[in-house]
Amino acid sequence: MLLLLKFAVLLLTLGLCQGNRQPNILVEDVEDVEPAFEPSRFGSLWPLPQKVKISQDSFKLGSSFRIVDGKGSSAGSSCNILQNAYRRYYEYIFGGAKRQGLGKNRRSAPSELTELRVYITSADSECDGYPSVKSDESCESLLFLVGLETFSQLVYEDEYGAKSINATAISDFPRFAHRGILLDTSRHFLPVKVILANLETMAMNKFNVFHWHIVDDPSFPYLSRTFPQLSQQGSYHPYTHVYTPADVKMVIEFARLRGIRVVPEFDTPGHTQSWGKGQPDLLTPCYSGATPSGTFGPVNPILNTTYDFMAQFFKEISSVFPDGYVHLGGDEVDFTCWKSNPDIQKFMDAQGFGKDYSKLESFYIQKLLNIVTTTKKGYIIWQEVFDNGVTLKPDTIIHVWKGNQQQYQSEMAKVTSSGYHTLLSTPWYLNRISYGQDWHAIYKADPQDFNGTEKQKALVIGGEACLWGEFVDATNLTPRLWPRASAVGERLWSSKDVTDLNDAFNRLSVHRCRMVERGIPAEPLFYSYCPREYKGL
Amino acid sequence: MLLLLKFAVLLLTLGLCQGNRQPNILVEDVEDVEPAFEPSRFGSLWPLPQKVKISQDSFKLGSSFRIVDGKGSSAGSSCNILQNAYRRYYEYIFGGAKRQGLGKNRRSAPSELTELRVYITSADSECDGYPSVKSDESCESLLFLVGLETFSQLVYEDEYGAKSINATAISDFPRFAHRGILLDTSRHFLPVKVILANLETMAMNKFNVFHWHIVDDPSFPYLSRTFPQLSQQGSYHPYTHVYTPADVKMVIEFARLRGIRVVPEFDTPGHTQSWGKGQPDLLTPCYSGATPSGTFGPVNPILNTTYDFMAQFFKEISSVFPDGYVHLGGDEVDFTCWKSNPDIQKFMDAQGFGKDYSKLESFYIQKLLNIVTTTKKGYIIWQEVFDNGVTLKPDTIIHVWKGNQQQYQSEMAKVTSSGYHTLLSTPWYLNRISYGQDWHAIYKADPQDFNGTEKQKALVIGGEACLWGEFVDATNLTPRLWPRASAVGERLWSSKDVTDLNDAFNRLSVHRCRMVERGIPAEPLFYSYCPREYKGL
């Protein structure tokens, strides 16, 4: 796929997509000192493309500048993804000012750029398809979106306010195929508007997976067609705090147009308190001595009805969410309630599990995985499921989230030495905040920094920035996430050796102001200003 | 001043305003556990009034409900503060829905509240005056504003959505006279809109002092009529990032209508890098060996021109800002540059200061205080000025901001034993953030918790929550400040023995949702939801 410009002043060559695995490079520990405020030679590019050469030759984008389908491009005016992207990026570049074109016959100045021509050369342009974990590698349809983002980042205002761009050669591809953001819509309900704004911002930072942690203990906002009682009883409010099928569709389509996959998480058997309200007998009744206490624990793993429910439920999920993967959770199962329940005890004895409740947990997960396998979905699971020795399909993705640096690196080594694909999130729990420039630590973490062979490293498909919802809702989510998540975005996109904190600070400062100008309240990195400050409240 | 209701169902008696100094009560250290989600018997009142008795008798606020001047009230339709407040609170209570009244002759139901009558009994209703540090105590004009806020907090929706209020007896007055918020408009420029929104929120939390830290090292956004070059050269941008005289006026008037004083801070001799850009020779030239290095240090204290400038500048400030006090800063003076400068050395020798640069600092401050005294303003200064033994007027207010708990408590003891009034900010640097419910520590701090006599305690006039601007701008300021500052608000308003964290959590959760409903993106305390979530981004 190529983006070619009419006057050949700019060539965005989007290169081959095989991950370019560099040897490990020691990242020097940089002191947390006041950064040098000076422009980067890479301008405001973020994340940094794999190869960039910006020349001194500058061209103006005239009033009649257009983004158009190239002649002979295999995707054109009927391609939604393209046509939407043209409009979006025209808006970004010209700031929404509808500039009056001076007619087709106006002669353009010699140093003027009049058209950005988009050529899609692949036969299968996938304009109506959904992005997949393989899309980046096959280069079929999505790199033109990130190419447009890069193009828009190259545009700047000269001293007269004229939109300009320098002749630039870029060769680009992502280092990792899975670059995700987790949002949690259970601890606080996030209005659809907030989700969409963050999908928009993800695209500006070349993230391609929205991990939708949609339900959890506190609330169940997913409106299930099959089991409407789940949200009717389990949401904060059955009308104002739910995601209807139309809402979910809108989120998926909005994401698709931006090259973003939507991977839903329905975490079981723990983190399910809200499920129990609308689905009697789903959760384990806890006992106080010989009598039920009235409280409930994890999903009840000893009833057939549980698995009937799960089969129906995940059948629905597999059709509502088009992505090839579903996240099945499996983290933090508390055994206290299971231990208190005499029926569970009997079952444990009958199965010969003794007192090892992780065996019961595995028993449940195993059956769940079999159910989900019948829906033809792959699955992602939190690391505990792997740690407990559950039998997993070879294409299972293990999501590492626990421990300190040493612990998560050893977990990554273990998971990959067992041949599984893995995702890293431990250093990127962005709900955790601290005073000062905490993006430094976020930026320095590298998912391939662990002891392992090249083959093991190749099993790392990426990572996710997680924003758990205990302390965030629509009032503070966006500035808390951005630009801190942008640091993760560059780590997952750019070459492993892009580690210069000063250069990153200078590019990211301008990138942050660009997000602000595009209407996203991304918070400041340090004292400074944006030419156009945030207009909202 | 009394607020009386037509049908006598509600009596808001705003009591005497002498601070009600309670004996110290040991605050038990409560574990940072998950709070109990249950309604407080005080509903959503925040900060908690001094005495509250809410009965079970409920009355509806009908469609013709009005807030009106009582017959014989000494302030009426020509009183700006009142008339603006009526409109504001009508809007808050009915959520902007313009309800159709059914005419004057419609008969009201027996349990209906049709009017809130406002009686101002004092002769001097001060409708056009500015609030002062004495206003709270003299009860002249401002308690009706907080009374209206309290009234609006008592209104709730019954199960049919009807606005209702229970018969309630309240006796109220603030524990401390100075309840401030510091915003820093130098490290990041804050659009006027953001400042106004936070003044609005201050009123909802019964704060009464906006400490405007308007200039500092990074930028000088104050447009001075006398020295326009200061912002012309020293602001981030001379047109888009300055406060014009009209902006300043608007902020002051907006604050006045809400019973809020505006105390500007012009911090010298340190924190003045931005001053030097538009005022040559104001700052001390630093030397590298025998030659000037091209960089500058604090204000140059050895030139007469410095004091001529300060006299003119503070003359302007004293007329632009009507408040009786100005904050003169005086913190964190770095001696490195002074030490490097040979002219400073000579001056030190001539004055007999030896190598004690704090004497030079005091020399400067002393002269500055004399200048400001001629403008008839009182002054507030950061604790260093007191620590350095500068001679101070008896009515000087010492602002304590440094050290750990033991250190600031000992500083409070020292300051008050010297007979000075004092303000506490150390535990309330809200720019400092950490993960979790950090409002607990904020809430527990008490400005009168130090070893001292009752007479000393009486010299504590209050405190300020400070939001320094390194990491905040329009994108994230409001949710970072609220509701964390609300915790300070209750500490400064309510009785000293109001320390129950669980009750506070339950009231503050609802108060936070009320702020959200009023359009303020106050962030959540913990997982939960608001009936009407934040609508902005």
Side-chain angles (χ1 to χ4, degrees):
Chain A
M1 199 281 299
L2 293 176
L3 298 176
L4 289 177
L5 300 183
K6 195 173 185 180
F7 294 103
V9 298
L10 177 82
L11 182 62
L12 287 175
T13 310
L14 296 160
L16 296 171
C17 300
Q18 290 82 350
N20 181 19
R21 311 283 172 227
Q22 303 282 347
N24 284 0
I25 287 166
L26 191 70
V27 181
E28 212 179 334
D29 202 85
V30 179
E31 281 285 281
D32 195 6
V33 293
E34 198 160 314
F37 291 99
E38 53 181 38
S40 163
R41 68 191 173 96
F42 299 115
S44 64
L45 287 171
W46 192 279
L48 196 65
Q50 299 288 341
K51 282 183 192 164
V52 188
K53 210 172 143 66
I54 304 178
S55 84
Q56 295 296 317
D57 304 331
S58 126
F59 297 82
K60 289 194 176 42
L61 274 61
S63 62
S64 56
F65 173 79
R66 295 290 180 267
I67 308 173
V68 298
D69 302 309
K71 267 189 191 121
S73 170
S74 64
S77 58
S78 66
C79 180
N80 252 336
I81 295 187
L82 249 63
Q83 300 303 323
N84 269 282
Y86 297 171
R87 277 156 190 70
R88 196 160 68 246
Y89 279 95
Y90 185 88
E91 195 93 0
Y92 285 164
I93 292 168
F94 294 111
K98 301 290 172 273
R99 313 215 299 178
Q100 189 94 37
L102 291 173
K104 282 220 161 179
N105 297 323
R106 173 178 161 269
R107 254 180 90 167
S108 52
S111 64
E112 185 174 327
L113 184 68
T114 58
E115 280 186 10
L116 175 65
R117 285 191 190 171
V118 177
Y119 289 91
I120 302 290
T121 52
S122 87
D124 174 13
S125 54
E126 288 185 27
C127 287
D128 300 311
Y130 290 95
S132 78
V133 71
K134 307 269 183 223
S135 296
D136 278 343
E137 293 161 39
S138 62
C139 275
E140 295 293 345
S141 67
L142 297 172
L143 274 175
F144 88 88
L145 284 178
V146 301
L148 264 185
E149 175 61 36
T150 306
F151 176 82
S152 76
Q153 295 188 358
L154 287 167
V155 176
Y156 60 93
E157 289 187 1
D158 72 10
E159 55 179 319
Y160 306 103
K163 302 288 178 179
S164 308
I165 190 166
N166 285 16
T168 301
I170 284 181
S171 166
D172 206 7
F173 52 87
R175 180 174 165 212
F176 294 106
H178 186 119
R179 305 177 302 280
I181 299 276
L182 176 150
L183 297 183
D184 166 5
T185 56
S186 171
R187 289 178 177 82
H188 285 97
F189 179 79
L190 300 175
V192 170
K193 181 178 168 180
V194 172
I195 296 175
L196 301 187
N198 280 281
L199 288 167
E200 191 89 64
T201 320
M202 284 172 66
M204 297 175 199
N205 291 273
K206 302 185 183 171
F207 280 93
N208 66 348
V209 180
F210 170 37
H211 175 167
W212 194 349
H213 188 87
I214 190 166
V215 301
D216 203 302
D217 284 327
S219 79
F220 195 103
Y222 173 75
L223 199 166
S224 161
R225 285 183 199 272
T226 321
F227 301 100
Q229 287 304 311
L230 288 170
S231 63
Q232 190 69 32
Q233 304 296 328
S235 68
Y236 282 131
H237 189 286
Y239 304 124
T240 59
H241 288 65
V242 294
Y243 302 105
T244 64
D247 291 336
V248 172
K249 257 201 174 126
M250 194 198 300
V251 167
I252 292 168
E253 177 64 6
F254 194 93
R256 187 185 78 84
L257 290 173
R258 285 153 186 81
I260 296 170
R261 302 162 49 202
V262 178
V263 175
E265 177 179 355
F266 289 90
D267 189 356
T268 65
H271 291 279
T272 48
Q273 287 294 303
S274 68
W275 301 52
K277 297 186 180 163
Q279 190 62 21
D281 301 331
L282 181 63
L283 303 187
T284 309
C286 314
Y287 277 67
S288 175
T291 52
S293 67
T295 63
F296 295 89
V299 165
N300 192 333
I302 67 170
L303 302 180
N304 288 331
T305 51
T306 292
Y307 301 102
D308 295 343
F309 167 83
M310 291 295 170
Q312 283 186 75
F313 184 77
F314 279 100
K315 194 176 161 210
E316 171 182 322
I317 296 311
S318 74
S319 77
V320 167
F321 292 90
D323 196 74
Y325 281 83
V326 59
H327 200 303
L328 296 175
D331 59 319
E332 298 187 310
V333 182
D334 182 349
F335 297 146
T336 319
C337 182
W338 280 351
K339 285 180 187 168
S340 78
N341 182 306
D343 297 328
I344 301 272
Q345 310 291 342
K346 271 180 236 155
F347 186 84
M348 296 275 291
D349 292 343
Q351 295 283 333
F353 291 165
K355 294 288 167 205
D356 186 351
Y357 287 87
S358 72
K359 284 189 178 151
L360 181 61
E361 181 183 349
S362 296
F363 171 87
Y364 167 80
I365 293 272
Q366 198 70 68
K367 288 179 77 95
L368 178 71
L369 296 187
N370 295 343
I371 286 167
V372 173
T373 299
T374 67
T375 68
K376 313 261 188 257
K377 298 284 187 188
Y379 37 76
I380 309 176
I381 39 93
W382 296 110
Q383 70 182 74
E384 285 97 322
V385 179
F386 166 81
D387 294 343
N388 289 339
V390 175
T391 310
L392 299 165
K393 284 193 295 182
D395 67 343
T396 302
I397 298 168
I398 318 291
H399 198 160
V400 173
W401 70 278
K402 289 209 294 188
N404 58 29
Q405 185 175 343
Q406 199 190 341
Q407 288 165 330
Y408 77 69
Q409 290 181 347
S410 118
E411 180 79 5
M412 295 290 282
K414 239 187 291 179
V415 168
T416 53
S417 73
S418 304
Y420 292 109
H421 286 100
T422 183
L423 284 173
L424 180 63
S425 278
T426 310
W428 297 323
Y429 265 39
L430 302 193
N431 49 304
R432 303 213 146 258
I433 52 172
S434 58
Y435 190 58
Q437 296 208 49
D438 66 351
W439 69 274
H440 287 183
I442 295 166
Y443 189 71
K444 286 181 203 167
D446 192 304
Q448 287 181 326
D449 277 350
F450 59 84
N451 287 325
T453 62
E454 285 308 298
K455 205 177 144 199
Q456 278 176 272
K457 303 291 172 84
L459 290 167
V460 180
I461 59 165
E464 291 187 359
C466 300
L467 195 71
W468 296 98
E470 281 86 350
F471 303 105
V472 289
D473 69 2
T475 62
N476 63 346
L477 183 144
T478 306
R480 190 158 291 187
L481 186 56
W482 307 102
R484 293 161 76 235
S486 304
V488 181
E490 176 148 303
R491 183 57 52 236
L492 294 174
W493 180 278
S494 306
S495 172
K496 186 178 175 61
D497 57 7
V498 176
T499 54
D500 180 337
L501 270 180
N502 259 325
D503 188 66
F505 174 82
N506 289 309
R507 282 184 291 114
L508 189 51
S509 296
V510 192
H511 179 55
R512 178 313 264 203
C513 286
R514 178 168 47 229
M515 291 191 272
V516 166
E517 205 165 321
R518 291 176 182 182
I520 303 301
E523 69 179 19
L525 292 178
F526 206 30
Y527 68 85
S528 70
Y529 76 107
C530 295
R532 298 179 185 91
E533 300 290 356
Y534 185 60
K535 291 279 187 295
L537 183 57
Chain B
M1 197 282 298
L2 295 176
L3 299 176
L4 290 176
L5 301 184
K6 195 174 185 180
F7 295 102
V9 296
L10 177 82
L11 183 63
L12 287 175
T13 310
L14 296 159
L16 297 171
C17 300
Q18 291 83 352
N20 181 18
R21 311 284 172 229
Q22 303 282 348
N24 284 1
I25 287 165
L26 190 72
V27 182
E28 212 181 334
D29 202 87
V30 178
E31 280 285 281
D32 195 5
V33 293
E34 199 160 313
F37 291 100
E38 53 181 37
S40 162
R41 67 193 174 96
F42 299 115
S44 63
L45 287 171
W46 193 276
L48 196 64
Q50 298 288 341
K51 282 185 191 162
V52 189
K53 210 172 144 64
I54 305 178
S55 84
Q56 295 297 317
D57 304 331
S58 126
F59 297 82
K60 289 193 174 45
L61 274 62
S63 62
S64 56
F65 174 80
R66 295 289 180 270
I67 308 172
V68 298
D69 302 310
K71 268 190 189 120
S73 171
S74 64
S77 58
S78 66
C79 180
N80 253 336
I81 294 187
L82 250 62
Q83 300 304 323
N84 268 282
Y86 298 171
R87 278 158 188 69
R88 195 162 67 245
Y89 280 95
Y90 185 88
E91 195 94 358
Y92 285 163
I93 292 168
F94 293 110
K98 302 289 174 274
R99 314 214 300 177
Q100 189 94 37
L102 291 173
K104 281 221 162 180
N105 297 323
R106 172 177 161 271
R107 252 178 90 166
S108 52
S111 64
E112 186 173 327
L113 184 68
T114 58
E115 281 186 11
L116 175 66
R117 286 191 190 171
V118 177
Y119 288 91
I120 302 290
T121 54
S122 86
D124 174 15
S125 54
E126 286 186 29
C127 287
D128 300 312
Y130 290 95
S132 79
V133 71
K134 307 270 183 223
S135 296
D136 278 342
E137 293 162 40
S138 62
C139 274
E140 296 293 344
S141 67
L142 297 172
L143 273 176
F144 88 88
L145 285 177
V146 302
L148 264 185
E149 175 61 36
T150 306
F151 177 82
S152 76
Q153 294 187 0
L154 288 167
V155 175
Y156 60 93
E157 290 187 1
D158 72 10
E159 55 179 321
Y160 305 104
K163 303 288 177 179
S164 307
I165 190 166
N166 284 16
T168 301
I170 284 181
S171 166
D172 206 8
F173 52 86
R175 179 174 166 213
F176 294 106
H178 186 119
R179 304 176 303 281
I181 299 278
L182 176 151
L183 296 183
D184 166 5
T185 56
S186 171
R187 289 178 178 83
H188 285 96
F189 179 81
L190 300 175
V192 170
K193 180 178 169 181
V194 172
I195 296 175
L196 301 188
N198 279 281
L199 288 167
E200 191 89 64
T201 320
M202 284 172 66
M204 297 175 199
N205 290 273
K206 302 185 182 171
F207 280 93
N208 66 348
V209 180
F210 169 37
H211 175 167
W212 193 350
H213 187 87
I214 190 166
V215 301
D216 203 301
D217 284 326
S219 79
F220 195 103
Y222 173 76
L223 198 166
S224 160
R225 285 183 198 271
T226 321
F227 301 100
Q229 287 303 312
L230 289 170
S231 62
Q232 190 70 32
Q233 303 296 327
S235 68
Y236 282 132
H237 189 286
Y239 304 123
T240 58
H241 287 66
V242 293
Y243 302 105
T244 65
D247 291 335
V248 172
K249 256 202 175 127
M250 193 198 301
V251 167
I252 292 169
E253 178 64 5
F254 194 93
R256 187 184 78 84
L257 291 173
R258 286 153 184 81
I260 297 170
R261 302 162 50 203
V262 178
V263 175
E265 177 180 355
F266 288 91
D267 189 356
T268 66
H271 291 279
T272 48
Q273 288 295 303
S274 68
W275 300 52
K277 298 187 181 164
Q279 189 63 19
D281 301 332
L282 181 64
L283 303 187
T284 308
C286 314
Y287 278 66
S288 176
T291 50
S293 67
T295 63
F296 295 88
V299 165
N300 193 333
I302 67 168
L303 301 181
N304 288 332
T305 51
T306 292
Y307 301 101
D308 296 342
F309 167 83
M310 291 295 170
Q312 283 186 75
F313 184 76
F314 278 100
K315 193 176 163 207
E316 171 182 322
I317 296 311
S318 74
S319 76
V320 168
F321 292 90
D323 196 74
Y325 281 83
V326 59
H327 200 303
L328 297 176
D331 58 320
E332 297 187 310
V333 182
D334 183 350
F335 297 147
T336 320
C337 182
W338 280 351
K339 285 180 187 167
S340 78
N341 182 306
D343 296 328
I344 301 272
Q345 310 291 342
K346 271 181 233 153
F347 186 84
M348 294 276 290
D349 292 344
Q351 294 283 334
F353 292 164
K355 294 287 166 207
D356 187 351
Y357 287 86
S358 72
K359 284 188 177 153
L360 181 60
E361 181 183 348
S362 296
F363 171 87
Y364 167 79
I365 294 272
Q366 198 72 65
K367 288 178 77 95
L368 178 70
L369 297 188
N370 295 343
I371 286 168
V372 173
T373 300
T374 68
T375 68
K376 313 264 190 254
K377 297 285 186 188
Y379 39 75
I380 308 177
I381 39 92
W382 296 111
Q383 69 181 76
E384 284 98 320
V385 179
F386 167 80
D387 294 344
N388 289 340
V390 175
T391 309
L392 299 166
K393 285 192 297 181
D395 66 343
T396 301
I397 298 168
I398 317 292
H399 197 161
V400 173
W401 69 278
K402 287 208 295 188
N404 59 28
Q405 185 176 345
Q406 199 189 343
Q407 289 166 328
Y408 76 70
Q409 289 181 347
S410 118
E411 180 79 6
M412 296 290 280
K414 239 186 291 177
V415 168
T416 52
S417 74
S418 304
Y420 291 109
H421 285 102
T422 183
L423 283 173
L424 180 63
S425 278
T426 310
W428 297 323
Y429 265 39
L430 302 193
N431 49 303
R432 302 211 147 258
I433 52 172
S434 59
Y435 190 58
Q437 296 208 49
D438 67 351
W439 69 275
H440 288 182
I442 296 166
Y443 189 72
K444 286 182 203 167
D446 192 304
Q448 286 181 328
D449 277 350
F450 59 84
N451 286 325
T453 63
E454 285 308 298
K455 204 179 145 197
Q456 278 176 272
K457 303 291 172 84
L459 289 167
V460 180
I461 59 164
E464 290 187 358
C466 300
L467 196 71
W468 297 98
E470 282 85 350
F471 303 105
V472 290
D473 69 2
T475 62
N476 62 346
L477 182 143
T478 306
R480 189 158 292 188
L481 186 56
W482 307 103
R484 293 161 76 234
S486 303
V488 181
E490 176 147 302
R491 183 57 52 236
L492 294 174
W493 180 279
S494 305
S495 172
K496 186 178 175 61
D497 57 8
V498 176
T499 54
D500 180 338
L501 270 181
N502 260 325
D503 188 66
F505 174 83
N506 289 308
R507 282 183 292 115
L508 188 51
S509 296
V510 193
H511 178 54
R512 177 315 262 202
C513 286
R514 178 169 47 230
M515 291 192 272
V516 166
E517 204 165 321
R518 291 177 182 182
I520 304 301
E523 69 179 19
L525 293 177
F526 205 30
Y527 68 85
S528 70
Y529 76 107
C530 294
R532 298 180 184 90
E533 300 290 356
Y534 186 59
K535 291 278 187 294
L537 182 58

